[in-house]
Every structure is written in C-alpha cells, then in structure tokens.
Amino acid sequence: MFACFVDFSKAFDHVNYWKLFSQLISDNIEPAVVALLAHWYSHQSVYVLWHGVVSSSFGIGNGTRQGGQLSPILFNRYVTDLIVYIRDSGIRCNVGGMMLNILAYADDMVLICPSWYAMQSLIAMLDLGASNYDMPCNTAKTVRMMFSPKDKRKTVSRVFPNFVLNGADVHFVSDFKYLGFQLSVNQSDDADVMREISAMFTRTNILIRHFSKCSVDVKTVLFRSYCLSFYGTALWEKCTVRMKNRMKSCYNRCIKLFFGFSKFHSVTNMLLELGFLSFDTVLCNSKSLFLSQLCKCTNGIIQYLLQLTLYDVQ
C-alpha cells in the first residue's frame, strides 16, 4: 500500500475569505452569522514587533486566525469539497473491507492507494484541486511511504519511480511523524517509543534545571503535569520487548533524577512513597482510556475499524 502525506504551504494562511463565506451560505448557515464572520475577518489589523519596535498597522486579505478555536472548523469546511473530489474519484484502497483513499485531520491529509499508478493519479487530482483553492502543496515536505504486504509472495516490486507533484519528485521516507506519532514502513512502534524516551528525558531535565529545589509536593504536581502526559502510548502494539523495557527504565530513571533518589534505590518503594503508578500500569490505563474514547467516537470510519479490530481479537 502506498501512502502520501500531503503538506500544504501555509494552509490556514491561504484560505480565501469569500470562497469560505460562500460555502457557509450554501450550507444554509444563518446569514447573520456569516455576515458577522465576514465583518470580523475583513476588518482585521495587525502589527509587527521587531526588537522592541512596532510597525504601523496593516490589513489581512486572507487566512484564518492562527490558534483560534473556530479556525480548524472553518478550514475543514473550506477543504470539504476538495476531499469529496478526491473521495469520489473511484480510485480507492481496501482497508479491512472499507474503500478509502484519503484521511484528513484539518490540513494534515494522507492519500492511500494500492498501486503506484493509482497514487500518481490521486496526487495529480489533489494538485489540481488544491490550486483551485489557492493552497499550493509544499513539495519539499510532502513525502511518500510504501507498506509491504504481510504475505511476501504478494509483493509485486520493491522499487518504484518517484511520484511527481507539481513537477517535483515526492521523496520516499521510511519513518514519518503524523499527528505526533512516529510511523515506520516496517509497521513497528519502536521509533515512536524512542521518540517518547527522548521527550521524557528532555522534559525531566527542564524540570530539574528550574525546580530542583522545590518541595516534594510541588515536584509531584509538576512531574505529573509535565512528564506523565504521554502521547501515543495507547497505540503501541508492535514494539519490541527491548524498547518497552527501555521506556520503562526511562520512566523510573526520570523519577529518580527529579526527586533525588539514588541510582540503586528500590523502584517499588520509590513509587509507593511518591504515589506514582508503575509504568506497566500507566501503559495499561492509557490503552483502556483510549479504547473507551474510541467506543464513544461517532466517526463512521473509526467505528468500522474498531469493530473489525475487536472481531479479530475475539
């Protein structure tokens, strides 16, 4: 299976106000709401601060507000027609019995196809559609991955030409971080475990540098808030025992470093004293919480794949 991770050049900044407002009107959004948004966006003034010097004000002609809660919703509506255009192309990939060719989370889009020719066709369609929305694709950051079939006898070829997007080659990568999770062509989660190990050591060192002299109670609150907010651990299903043990060792080591325990101090006693859970328990709770959130999700694709997964487990 081929996957192409599409990156748009400053996607939110290229949103055309008036195309967006026309779409909202066609969706029968209350005219007063559209008028309010039109007035709000067409009367924006900004300044540039550079080395303590503030520029004169100037207006903005396009783009949604960066960091605004409404911006992702408006952007999703702006690109809906583009997504539908790709979805209805008839070029699709069979994923567990469901026919898919595009996955999108705001401006993070992934094209998936079962053959090289099909993917090149989708890329050409995306390039054409994106140009109609004033959102050029960033050819330097758009990359492709190729996932081999489980049955090696079904492998057609291991070498394919580069895909072409807007006249430039789309580079092949073996690892890619998508929505914060490190994906690998070998479908192993070891790379993401390594990402989390590096991130936890970095966060712990920051805490040590700034809060090493705080009380244990303050340190406990800081460590829980800043170092125990793991991201993506619930998705770890195909990581090696060695990498999982490295993450467990990192977890215990970071606690000892921040709270001043010796290297040879009992991990069990340390966790009991501080009221922390073991890493195995943290990982189990993370997966349980993630599964409960998936069960509540109303997205049709997620529900279908979840039921398919649960059926395979049974």
Side-chain angles (χ1 to χ4, degrees):
M1 185 187 79
F2 293 92
C4 181
F5 298 88
V6 181
D7 184 87
F8 295 103
S9 297
K10 299 181 179 180
F12 280 58
D13 295 336
H14 280 89
V15 172
N16 185 302
Y17 294 160
W18 309 112
K19 282 186 179 181
L20 173 62
F21 300 147
S22 297
Q23 291 171 335
L24 295 177
I25 292 174
S26 65
D27 291 342
N28 295 321
I29 301 297
E30 181 64 37
V33 174
V34 179
L36 175 62
L37 290 173
H39 178 80
W40 183 21
Y41 274 94
S42 60
H43 288 78
Q44 295 181 102
S45 295
V46 297
Y47 302 82
V48 174
L49 176 64
W50 180 258
H51 291 289
V53 179
V54 181
S55 72
S56 57
S57 65
F58 57 92
I60 301 177
N62 56 277
T64 56
R65 289 172 176 262
Q66 293 290 339
Q69 294 184 353
L70 192 60
S71 296
I73 299 175
L74 294 176
F75 182 83
N76 285 343
R77 177 58 190 94
Y78 188 69
V79 298
T80 293
D81 294 340
L82 173 61
I83 295 174
V84 172
Y85 171 63
I86 299 294
R87 184 197 66 188
D88 295 341
S89 65
I91 305 172
R92 299 173 184 174
C93 189
N94 188 330
V95 181
M98 176 175 281
M99 307 306 293
L100 302 171
N101 60 6
I102 184 170
L103 300 173
Y105 186 85
D107 60 329
D108 293 304
M109 294 187 185
V110 187
L111 303 176
I112 54 177
C113 271
S115 70
W116 183 93
Y117 182 79
M119 178 58 75
Q120 182 60 69
S121 299
L122 279 189
I123 290 176
M125 292 182 63
L126 176 73
D127 189 26
L128 176 62
S131 63
N132 293 332
Y133 285 84
D134 306 316
M135 290 195 312
C137 295
N138 188 338
T139 55
K141 294 185 178 180
T142 297
V143 297
R144 69 176 177 94
M145 296 178 71
M146 183 181 69
F147 299 93
S148 301
K150 293 181 179 180
D151 187 350
K152 303 301 181 183
R153 296 172 298 178
K154 296 182 179 180
T155 301
V156 177
S157 176
R158 297 185 183 277
V159 180
F160 294 90
N162 281 335
F163 296 112
V164 178
L165 172 63
N166 194 23
D169 289 341
V170 179
H171 300 293
F172 170 82
V173 294
S174 57
D175 296 281
F176 184 76
K177 183 185 288 188
Y178 180 67
L179 299 180
F181 191 87
Q182 197 76 25
L183 298 172
S184 301
V185 292
N186 60 7
Q187 302 182 50
S188 170
D189 295 325
D190 284 0
D192 194 69
V193 177
M194 199 66 227
R195 173 198 59 79
E196 192 60 59
I197 291 174
S198 177
M200 188 168 190
F201 273 126
T202 300
R203 293 192 295 263
T204 302
N205 286 330
I206 292 174
L207 291 183
I208 292 173
R209 188 164 62 248
H210 295 283
F211 305 102
S212 60
K213 296 182 180 181
C214 292
S215 65
V216 173
D217 291 339
V218 172
K219 283 185 174 182
T220 301
V221 174
L222 289 172
F223 196 82
R224 287 184 186 276
S225 303
Y226 196 55
C227 295
L228 299 187
S229 299
F230 296 117
Y231 182 85
T233 54
L235 301 176
W236 293 349
E237 291 294 337
K238 295 182 179 180
C239 59
T240 60
V241 175
R242 181 179 66 87
M243 288 303 299
K244 188 176 293 186
N245 288 337
R246 286 186 64 177
M247 182 64 213
K248 184 176 180 179
S249 176
C250 167
Y251 175 82
N252 295 332
R253 178 64 175 160
C254 286
I255 296 176
K256 288 183 177 181
L257 287 172
F258 185 49
F259 289 92
F261 290 96
S262 68
K263 180 179 179 181
F264 303 101
H265 194 91
S266 170
V267 173
T268 302
N269 291 338
M270 176 187 67
L271 295 178
L272 287 174
E273 182 178 338
L274 296 174
F276 288 155
L277 299 174
S278 68
F279 179 72
D280 291 334
T281 304
V282 171
L283 192 61
C284 182
N285 290 346
S286 175
K287 292 184 177 183
S288 298
L289 177 61
F290 181 65
L291 182 60
S292 66
Q293 291 174 335
L294 284 182
C295 292
K296 297 176 183 178
C297 181
T298 58
N299 183 278
I301 296 176
I302 292 178
Q303 281 298 314
Y304 178 83
L305 296 178
L306 176 63
Q307 295 301 320
L308 193 67
T309 303
L310 295 177
Y311 177 78
D312 290 340
V313 171
Q314 294 174 354

